[in-house]
Amino acid sequence: MTLGLPGSDVLAARHARTRSALEAKGLEALIVTTPANIRYLANHIGTAGTLIITLTDIQLLVDFRYKEAVRARQDSPAACPGLRLYDVSDSYDEALVSATMASPARVIGIEAGHLTVARQEWLMRTWQSRSAGVTLRSTKRFIERFRAVKDAAEVRVLRDAAQRLTAVAGTAIESVRSGIAEREVAAVIETALRRAGYERPAFDTIVASGPNSALPHHRAGDRVLHASDLVVLDFGGVLDGYCSDLTRTVSVGNPSPEARRLHAADRDAQAAAIDAVKPGATTADVDGAARQVLIGHGLGEAFGHGTGHGLGLDVHEEPRVSKPRSDVPPERLEPGMVFTIEPGAYVAGFGGVRIEDDVLVTETGCEVLTSVPRDLRVCR
Amino acid sequence: MTLGLPGSDVLAARHARTRSALEAKGLEALIVTTPANIRYLANHIGTAGTLIITLTDIQLLVDFRYKEAVRARQDSPAACPGLRLYDVSDSYDEALVSATMASPARVIGIEAGHLTVARQEWLMRTWQSRSAGVTLRSTKRFIERFRAVKDAAEVRVLRDAAQRLTAVAGTAIESVRSGIAEREVAAVIETALRRAGYERPAFDTIVASGPNSALPHHRAGDRVLHASDLVVLDFGGVLDGYCSDLTRTVSVGNPSPEARRLHAADRDAQAAAIDAVKPGATTADVDGAARQVLIGHGLGEAFGHGTGHGLGLDVHEEPRVSKPRSDVPPERLEPGMVFTIEPGAYVAGFGGVRIEDDVLVTETGCEVLTSVPRDLRVCR
């Protein structure tokens, strides 16, 4: 598969930014263990791998399975500048200890949001037993912060990934009819995702019908669709590593007045949130815009999740567009951020509505990347 | 989707076992954060949730999205005995601090192989600032150890999950022909998985053709199959939460003598490993059996990964069937363990072969759960 990986110049800029941040924090190196961050810095795609970036060096630790792929990539325009390859023959953490001991860096950051307690304990014990003199420092959102603001090449891929959902949504909505099972609709959607050129679904496709539509994280089951069901269709695909994500809620046959009311309220809430997206606004402003509209319709309690999440190499990444919480402080929007806007309203036992689009923060406001009509579609 | 969740009696037995182990380790509670472990103990299926099990109590912390599903399940035969529901309105870790402070347990285990350094640091800081008097202890493989030995209900599901791969393999092999792209074969396989009743693929389907077959973790790309390619087909599905996993390597048109030689050697290696599976043998014995055969064929260097991995709620779990490594000591096999046997032989630039089946350790030896012929199939 010829992935559209960023070129060496793009990676060089990311390295420079990372190294400036290392210096600013008094760190001599960062151990990168989060797969999406490793891909972002070194174009390595895999479930395993560890990266060590110092002020002057960058080293990728991979095992047997990935060696050939890394070597081939280093002969391509997507080569990672300055990359040294470290061959992991025993465990990754043994290799990490050896590689750090061979490097002069001694004040080393870890990604505390990804590294497990067990790995940290083992590393510290082992360095200590070998008198390595290494000082570990926890870092948070070190690379994630950079990833939240997309560069031009990333925006191009994300725009393409979002646009291709139009055809998928058409096929999905056409397949909805009384008598079909949720699972069959999900299969139609996933086939349409492959046909649209995505490498894989970005997450487990959600087809939630009737009372299931009130369960925001229902997936797709054996339930057969019936007349006057609301059906939440939530799906997305991964293109060149980047995620897209769209939700539409449709009605099987004529919707009840309550269903129409929920849908109209949620649509207004989503429009208000999209209107609030611009540089300088905060994630809490955007969430608040959607939430106020739903509260105005008496649906404040019916909207229990956040308004959106960043999209990129991960399907849920920064920024989090939600109520300020103790672990998610509000964040100021910057041009280049890409995230979903997906308020929902859920009434237990009856059903729910969610409408979701992907947006890009521009210099002056917001570009909606997805393009699918938002009216309440009435299916057979 | 009506999942075949284990009944309350099965969960009660798992709780009793967990509590005995807590007592034996001098712990008053365990904070369970690993999703598959939470499902194993409480039948909760979700990407979020935290479980606290003490010697007398069990409490599930979930947010808005899951509340309805948990309540509905508690009125079913799959109810978790004694479960108290804790409603997470702010962050999971805030909720965890409140819930533990309301409990008398003070010596508390964490799952060090899952909890991140950032979460541990935040929890310790917050408990300390509130004078909670909590002592945290790292635990490893606490629940994973129990999960490695399957109970009767799990074996039934795993057997069914493995058997259904026969039809999928037939469809997959029929689709292989000169001129088709790897990605199209993967789409055929994933559609066949859905038709066979799986809830989703257990992992990204691998279709690796020609030189790509020498890359053990190639997925499925744009490469078009050609005459005399070896093609590695590696796929599996999830049934009622449990994973299956199968690999066959086929030839497009007549295989070269070198391809035949690789395939025959790998088949012999796999047979030797399956023969070595019995209670009392170790994972290193099974791995060594495959490895010796490949070394005998001069292919020791060509086999760079382990022989297999446990299958259950996770597609890679305990036991790990590999060479003894510093982080994976050999483990003694017990009746009820289920794992893959999948030696491979890879020649860079030429191609590779992998043959994989799923096996159950029985009282006297081994039952092969998958049933697909292992000869080198010659496709169009």
Side-chain angles (χ1 to χ4, degrees):
Chain A
M1 154 169 49
T2 322
L3 286 174
L5 290 171
S8 301
D9 52 332
V10 174
L11 295 194
R14 294 175 185 173
H15 297 178
R17 207 166 174 191
T18 303
R19 286 172 173 144
S20 300
L22 281 173
E23 276 191 316
K25 285 179 204 294
L27 294 172
E28 294 164 6
L30 180 71
I31 295 172
V32 186
T33 50
T34 311
N37 292 346
I38 295 173
R39 176 173 179 155
Y40 185 76
L41 291 173
N43 278 343
H44 169 61
I45 303 164
T47 52
T50 302
L51 189 77
I52 309 173
I53 179 164
T54 74
L55 299 176
T56 53
D57 186 37
I58 182 161
Q59 205 175 162
L60 179 65
L61 287 57
V62 286
D63 66 75
F64 170 86
R65 295 172 296 172
Y66 299 108
K67 269 190 323 196
E68 285 307 317
V70 175
R71 280 195 194 126
R73 201 168 45 244
Q74 288 303 97
D75 288 330
S76 81
C80 173
L83 190 77
R84 291 195 298 132
L85 189 58
Y86 186 110
D87 197 351
V88 176
S89 56
D90 190 67
S91 84
Y92 270 89
D93 287 341
E94 270 292 352
L96 185 51
V97 165
S98 303
T100 47
M101 288 186 66
S103 151
R106 281 300 167 267
V107 184
I108 302 178
I110 54 160
E111 299 189 297
H114 182 266
L115 195 76
T116 64
V117 172
R119 289 186 71 183
Q120 186 204 34
E121 285 176 353
W122 188 89
L123 288 170
M124 288 179 36
R125 206 164 53 236
T126 309
W127 275 316
Q128 208 154 27
S129 73
R130 300 186 196 170
S131 309
V134 166
T135 303
L136 272 197
R137 296 249 183 92
S138 287
T139 74
K140 274 166 211 157
R141 312 172 52 237
F142 199 106
I143 305 297
E144 286 79 357
R145 202 168 322 200
F146 304 148
R147 282 175 45 206
V149 178
K150 271 66 185 177
D151 58 38
E154 290 181 293
V155 167
R156 273 195 299 276
V157 176
L158 283 161
R159 191 179 281 127
D160 187 4
Q163 279 297 319
R164 290 182 195 219
L165 289 180
T166 304
V168 180
T171 307
I173 292 170
E174 262 173 41
S175 78
V176 170
R177 56 177 168 74
S178 177
I180 194 171
E182 291 175 352
R183 211 191 282 268
E184 293 172 74
V185 176
V188 167
I189 291 172
E190 294 189 358
T191 302
L193 286 169
R194 286 228 179 237
R195 284 222 184 97
Y198 296 102
E199 55 208 60
R200 62 174 185 279
F203 51 89
D204 285 352
T205 296
I206 294 175
V207 179
S209 66
N212 291 341
S213 62
L215 307 172
H217 268 237
H218 178 78
R219 284 171 175 175
D222 295 325
R223 187 177 182 280
V224 169
L225 277 52
H226 288 294
S228 90
D229 277 351
L230 283 171
V231 187
V232 173
L233 307 166
D234 188 349
F235 51 88
V238 180
L239 185 74
D240 285 352
Y242 284 80
C243 298
S244 59
D245 191 353
L246 181 100
T247 308
R248 288 293 179 266
T249 304
V250 302
S251 172
V252 181
N254 281 331
S256 66
E258 172 66 358
R260 282 198 188 280
R261 190 180 80 85
L262 276 182
H263 192 277
D266 197 52
R267 197 175 154 182
D268 288 352
Q270 203 223 13
I274 292 173
D275 276 349
V277 174
K278 58 179 179 222
T282 69
T283 50
D285 295 336
V286 176
D287 181 84
R291 208 165 290 280
Q292 278 313 313
V293 171
L294 287 168
I295 289 171
H297 283 89
L299 292 166
E301 291 296 309
F303 176 34
H305 56 72
T307 291
H309 53 84
L311 281 176
L313 291 170
D314 285 322
V315 70
H316 292 110
E317 57 175 57
E318 303 207 10
R320 308 280 166 178
V321 183
S322 63
K323 274 196 284 199
R325 286 189 339 203
S326 54
D327 57 339
V328 188
E331 216 172 324
R332 212 157 280 287
L333 301 184
E334 288 178 50
M337 287 182 165
V338 173
F339 47 85
T340 68
I341 300 279
E342 49 172 315
Y346 311 95
V347 178
F350 171 71
V353 170
R354 186 167 61 255
I355 304 171
E356 174 184 31
D357 286 280
D358 304 342
V359 303
L360 163 72
V361 183
T362 62
E363 295 295 333
T364 54
C366 158
E367 174 188 339
V368 180
L369 301 179
T370 34
S371 49
V372 177
R374 295 193 189 94
D375 53 310
L376 177 57
R377 279 288 297 269
V378 177
C379 303
R380 290 163 284 176
Chain B
M1 153 169 49
T2 322
L3 286 173
L5 289 169
S8 302
D9 52 331
V10 174
L11 295 194
R14 294 175 185 172
H15 297 178
R17 207 167 174 191
T18 304
R19 286 171 173 143
S20 300
L22 281 173
E23 276 191 318
K25 285 178 203 295
L27 293 173
E28 294 164 6
L30 180 71
I31 295 172
V32 185
T33 49
T34 312
N37 293 347
I38 294 173
R39 176 171 178 156
Y40 185 76
L41 291 172
N43 278 343
H44 169 62
I45 304 164
T47 52
T50 302
L51 190 76
I52 309 173
I53 180 164
T54 73
L55 298 175
T56 55
D57 186 37
I58 182 162
Q59 205 174 163
L60 179 65
L61 287 55
V62 286
D63 66 76
F64 170 87
R65 296 171 297 173
Y66 299 109
K67 270 191 321 198
E68 285 307 316
V70 174
R71 280 195 193 125
R73 200 168 48 242
Q74 287 303 98
D75 287 331
S76 80
C80 173
L83 190 76
R84 291 194 299 133
L85 190 58
Y86 186 109
D87 197 351
V88 176
S89 56
D90 190 69
S91 84
Y92 271 89
D93 287 340
E94 269 294 349
L96 185 52
V97 165
S98 303
T100 46
M101 288 187 66
S103 150
R106 282 298 168 268
V107 184
I108 303 178
I110 54 160
E111 299 189 297
H114 182 266
L115 196 75
T116 63
V117 172
R119 289 186 71 182
Q120 186 204 35
E121 285 176 352
W122 188 89
L123 288 170
M124 289 184 28
R125 206 164 52 234
T126 309
W127 274 316
Q128 209 154 24
S129 72
R130 301 186 196 171
S131 309
V134 166
T135 304
L136 274 198
R137 297 250 183 91
S138 287
T139 74
K140 275 168 211 156
R141 310 174 53 237
F142 198 107
I143 305 296
E144 285 80 356
R145 199 169 325 199
F146 304 149
R147 282 175 46 205
V149 179
K150 270 68 185 177
D151 58 37
E154 291 181 291
V155 167
R156 273 195 300 276
V157 176
L158 282 162
R159 191 181 280 127
D160 188 2
Q163 279 296 317
R164 290 181 195 220
L165 289 180
T166 304
V168 180
T171 306
I173 293 170
E174 263 173 41
S175 77
V176 171
R177 56 176 169 76
S178 178
I180 194 171
E182 290 174 355
R183 211 191 282 270
E184 295 172 73
V185 176
V188 167
I189 291 172
E190 295 188 358
T191 302
L193 286 168
R194 286 231 178 234
R195 285 224 182 96
Y198 296 100
E199 55 210 60
R200 62 173 185 279
F203 51 89
D204 286 350
T205 297
I206 294 174
V207 178
S209 66
N212 291 342
S213 63
L215 307 172
H217 269 237
H218 177 77
R219 286 169 175 175
D222 296 326
R223 186 178 183 281
V224 170
L225 277 53
H226 288 294
S228 89
D229 277 352
L230 284 171
V231 187
V232 173
L233 307 166
D234 187 349
F235 51 87
V238 180
L239 185 73
D240 286 353
Y242 284 81
C243 298
S244 60
D245 192 354
L246 181 100
T247 307
R248 289 294 181 266
T249 303
V250 302
S251 172
V252 181
N254 280 333
S256 65
E258 172 66 357
R260 283 198 188 281
R261 190 181 80 86
L262 275 181
H263 191 277
D266 197 53
R267 195 176 155 181
D268 287 352
Q270 202 222 16
I274 292 173
D275 277 349
V277 174
K278 58 179 179 220
T282 69
T283 50
D285 295 336
V286 175
D287 180 83
R291 209 163 290 280
Q292 278 312 313
V293 171
L294 287 168
I295 290 170
H297 283 89
L299 292 166
E301 292 296 309
F303 175 34
H305 57 72
T307 291
H309 54 84
L311 280 176
L313 291 170
D314 286 321
V315 69
H316 291 111
E317 57 175 58
E318 303 205 10
R320 307 278 164 179
V321 183
S322 63
K323 274 197 284 200
R325 286 192 335 206
S326 54
D327 58 338
V328 187
E331 216 172 324
R332 213 157 277 287
L333 301 184
E334 288 179 49
M337 286 181 167
V338 173
F339 47 85
T340 68
I341 300 278
E342 49 173 315
Y346 311 94
V347 178
F350 171 71
V353 170
R354 185 166 65 254
I355 304 171
E356 174 184 33
D357 285 281
D358 304 342
V359 304
L360 163 72
V361 183
T362 62
E363 295 295 333
T364 53
C366 159
E367 176 188 338
V368 180
L369 301 179
T370 34
S371 47
V372 176
R374 295 194 189 92
D375 53 309
L376 177 57
R377 280 287 298 270
V378 176
C379 302
R380 289 164 285 174

